[in-house]
Amino acid sequence: MKQLQIILLLLVFNLANAQQVVKPSDAVQLALEHNYGIQIANNNVEVAENNKAILNSGYLPTLTGNAGGNIDRQNAEGQLANGDTRVAEGAETRRYNASINLNYTLFDGLGRYYNYKRLKEEYNLSELQARETIENTMVQLLTVYYNVARQSENLKSFEETIEISRDRLTRSEYQFDYGQNTKLDVLNAEVDINNDSISIINSRQNLINLKRDLNLVTGNKISNQFEVDTTINFLFQLNKEDLLNKLYANNVRLIQNEKNIAINEFALKANKSGYLPTVGLTGSYGWNESTNNSPLAFVLQNTSTNVSAGINLTWNLFDGGGTITRVKNARINLENQKLQKEQLKIEIERNFNNAWDDYKNKLRIYEVQEDNIKTAKNNFERTQEKFKLGQVTSIEFRQAQLNLLNAVLSKNQAKYDAKLAEIIVLQISGELLNVEL
């Protein structure tokens, strides 16, 4: 019974101290919800959505209210027709007014119509800009994530290496005690342990720094004690031709350029509206009241109301060439956007081909490094057996040990380099947000 209680206590202790394992999907979800750059991009989308609403379109009328009051005190003296003289001291006059005015543009040369369409395209552009921010943040996030994974595996390799070095030191000390080797072998083993310890210290500090970087990208929402998943799944089903075709439809930079072309087209049409007249509708309702207690006044109180409506036409026949200049510049801007599109297509095609070749090369390097691991491991195991039999020196054993360690580190580097190259291919082709990594 006592042994069972001890086992249960150990199990509870281990569970309490178990570190959280953060998978790539977990990190991506945290970044989408808490990354500050993504949150700012989403807020910019909301601003663009407000701008494209009917309240900012110019299609609604304007209604203004005016009100005022005035009090006037004066001393006056007047002579009547019969010759009498009247004096008014401190005569007070009060005047009050209020009015409501309506203005509505019936026609403005279609400028309002094209500006409204331009605002809608600007909203679509802001969504694409937010998507680009998300894609760039995901690339940054996954780069840091896989650096953490690589450093975690490296640290584990360093720890395995120092265990081998400790076993070698113990063996050397026994052999020295029995006169089978010299003190030099013991000292060499101690030096190698010290070197391995330094590698572990540096590796642990690098891992801590990288985890802080990962936590920063996710908005500091990961606990301090966490591990990452070091399992890598490559998307070997990727096809270059399919991705190249998707690139023209899905690459976020190309789509943004197309939206900019549409925006400039609407801007050109809106500027052309300056050649046409503007027709507006006006209406107002007013109320006025005045009181006067002066004995010289003919009317002591006067109240009036008025209603008016009208239609007006304004045609700027010549504005000094301002409209002509704006139209010319808008046409040039549109032509520049079309030229940028052609330039961007060539650039993105080049980037995709470079990224694809880089991805394939790094996959091949990873495969070669895996084979190299087998060779280095086999060489180390054979050297270790010979070392135990005294057939190889400690220097040869250490070299075989370092060869195995370097092979493992190179394999880790190649594995995550290949995965990051795959991510870049997906980003350029516009498929990064459509696949499960």
Side-chain angles (χ1 to χ4, degrees):
M1 185 67 181
K2 200 169 189 180
Q3 290 180 340
L4 180 60
Q5 290 178 342
I6 294 174
I7 292 173
L8 289 174
L9 286 173
L10 289 173
L11 180 61
V12 171
F13 178 79
N14 289 332
L15 290 175
N17 289 277
Q19 293 188 344
Q20 174 189 7
V21 177
V22 179
K23 295 184 178 180
S25 57
D26 300 329
V28 168
Q29 188 61 38
L30 287 172
L32 290 175
E33 295 176 1
H34 303 290
N35 180 269
Y36 294 108
I38 292 177
Q39 291 183 57
I40 292 172
N42 290 334
N43 288 339
N44 290 336
V45 173
E46 289 189 23
V47 171
E49 185 175 13
N50 294 335
N51 288 338
K52 79 176 181 68
I54 189 68
L55 295 175
N56 192 47
S57 65
Y59 276 107
L60 300 180
T62 60
L63 190 64
T64 59
N66 298 302
N70 179 268
I71 299 177
D72 180 29
R73 288 179 178 272
Q74 63 179 349
N75 299 322
E77 180 179 334
Q79 186 175 15
L80 302 179
N82 59 8
D84 294 341
T85 299
R86 291 185 181 181
V87 176
E89 294 183 355
E92 184 178 272
T93 303
R94 295 174 178 264
R95 299 183 181 88
Y96 303 99
N97 66 83
S99 65
I100 296 177
N101 303 293
L102 173 73
N103 287 279
Y104 183 65
T105 301
L106 296 175
F107 179 76
D108 67 344
L110 296 178
R112 174 177 53 183
Y113 172 76
Y114 290 118
N115 279 328
Y116 187 44
K117 283 185 169 293
R118 176 180 58 81
L119 290 173
K120 286 185 175 181
E121 290 297 337
E122 287 181 351
Y123 167 73
N124 295 332
L125 178 62
S126 71
E127 286 190 317
L128 291 170
Q129 291 169 341
R131 176 188 152 190
E132 184 178 20
T133 299
I134 292 172
E135 287 185 359
N136 291 334
T137 303
M138 282 187 62
V139 172
Q140 179 190 9
L141 169 71
L142 293 171
T143 299
V144 177
Y145 182 93
Y146 288 128
N147 282 336
V148 172
R150 177 180 58 82
Q151 195 62 45
S152 299
E153 289 197 281
N154 288 351
L155 177 58
K156 197 172 296 182
S157 299
F158 287 130
E159 291 171 344
E160 292 173 356
T161 299
I162 200 172
E163 288 302 318
I164 295 172
S165 297
R166 285 170 179 163
D167 180 69
R168 172 190 159 198
L169 175 60
T170 302
R171 184 178 297 275
S172 297
E173 289 174 338
Y174 282 141
Q175 290 175 341
F176 175 72
D177 291 339
Y178 288 101
Q180 296 178 357
N181 62 11
T182 64
K183 187 64 176 178
L184 181 61
D185 291 328
V186 176
L187 294 175
N188 286 336
E190 289 177 348
V191 170
D192 291 337
I193 286 180
N194 290 335
N195 289 332
D196 293 340
S197 299
I198 293 172
S199 297
I200 289 176
I201 292 171
N202 290 331
S203 182
R204 282 177 179 166
Q205 186 58 53
N206 289 337
L207 181 59
I208 291 171
N209 294 342
L210 288 170
K211 284 185 176 181
R212 289 195 185 111
D213 292 341
L214 180 61
N215 209 3
L216 176 64
V217 181
T218 57
N220 289 328
K221 296 300 178 181
I222 306 178
S223 63
N224 291 330
Q225 300 296 325
F226 70 91
E227 298 292 338
V228 297
D229 187 2
T230 58
T231 304
I232 293 293
N233 295 315
F234 291 102
L235 305 176
F236 292 108
Q237 74 276 16
L238 293 179
N239 181 274
K240 182 179 181 180
E241 295 302 322
D242 291 341
L243 291 176
L244 192 58
N245 291 331
K246 291 178 180 178
L247 178 148
Y248 298 114
N250 297 335
N251 182 274
V252 68
R253 293 178 62 196
L254 278 177
I255 303 175
Q256 284 185 67
N257 185 265
E258 291 172 357
K259 294 301 178 184
N260 281 322
I261 289 176
I263 289 170
N264 278 275
E265 287 176 342
F266 290 132
L268 174 60
K269 293 176 180 178
N271 284 319
K272 286 182 177 180
S273 67
Y275 294 133
L276 300 176
T278 299
V279 180
L281 179 67
T282 61
S284 67
Y285 171 80
W287 169 84
N288 295 275
E289 180 182 282
S290 65
T291 58
N292 191 341
N293 62 2
S294 172
L296 300 177
F298 291 101
V299 178
L300 297 181
Q301 182 173 356
N302 179 41
T303 302
S304 65
T305 59
N306 67 286
V307 178
S308 64
I311 188 169
N312 56 67
L313 182 145
T314 303
W315 198 336
N316 197 343
L317 299 177
F318 183 69
D319 61 354
T323 299
I324 295 175
T325 302
R326 287 191 294 271
V327 170
K328 286 182 177 180
N329 290 339
R331 189 174 286 114
I332 294 172
N333 290 334
L334 177 59
E335 180 63 22
N336 285 339
Q337 285 294 332
K338 291 180 178 179
L339 292 173
Q340 287 177 8
K341 179 181 179 180
E342 297 304 316
Q343 180 185 22
L344 188 60
K345 283 177 63 177
I346 297 174
E347 178 185 338
I348 290 178
E349 286 176 5
R350 180 208 61 187
N351 293 344
F352 175 79
N353 288 322
N354 290 344
W356 179 264
D357 291 343
D358 184 59
Y359 170 54
K360 286 300 182 179
N361 287 336
K362 287 180 176 175
L363 275 179
R364 285 194 290 269
I365 291 172
Y366 174 53
E367 293 171 357
V368 171
Q369 291 293 352
E370 283 192 315
D371 292 336
N372 193 32
I373 283 284
K374 297 176 184 177
T375 303
K377 188 175 182 180
N378 183 43
N379 178 63
F380 172 73
E381 289 174 350
R382 294 180 64 182
T383 304
Q384 189 177 38
E385 290 298 323
K386 289 184 177 181
F387 178 71
K388 291 177 181 178
L389 297 173
Q391 297 177 356
V392 297
T393 64
S394 59
I395 296 177
E396 292 173 318
F397 174 79
R398 179 63 176 177
Q399 187 60 51
Q401 183 186 20
L402 291 178
N403 288 342
L404 176 59
L405 175 62
N406 291 332
V408 172
L409 298 181
S410 297
K411 188 263 296 184
N412 293 342
Q413 184 73 47
K415 178 171 71 170
Y416 294 109
D417 283 349
K419 186 61 180 178
L420 291 174
E422 181 182 81
I423 290 169
I424 297 300
V425 169
L426 293 173
Q427 181 191 23
I428 296 175
S429 63
E431 289 293 294
L432 181 59
L433 303 180
N434 300 328
V435 298
E436 184 176 351
L437 299 171

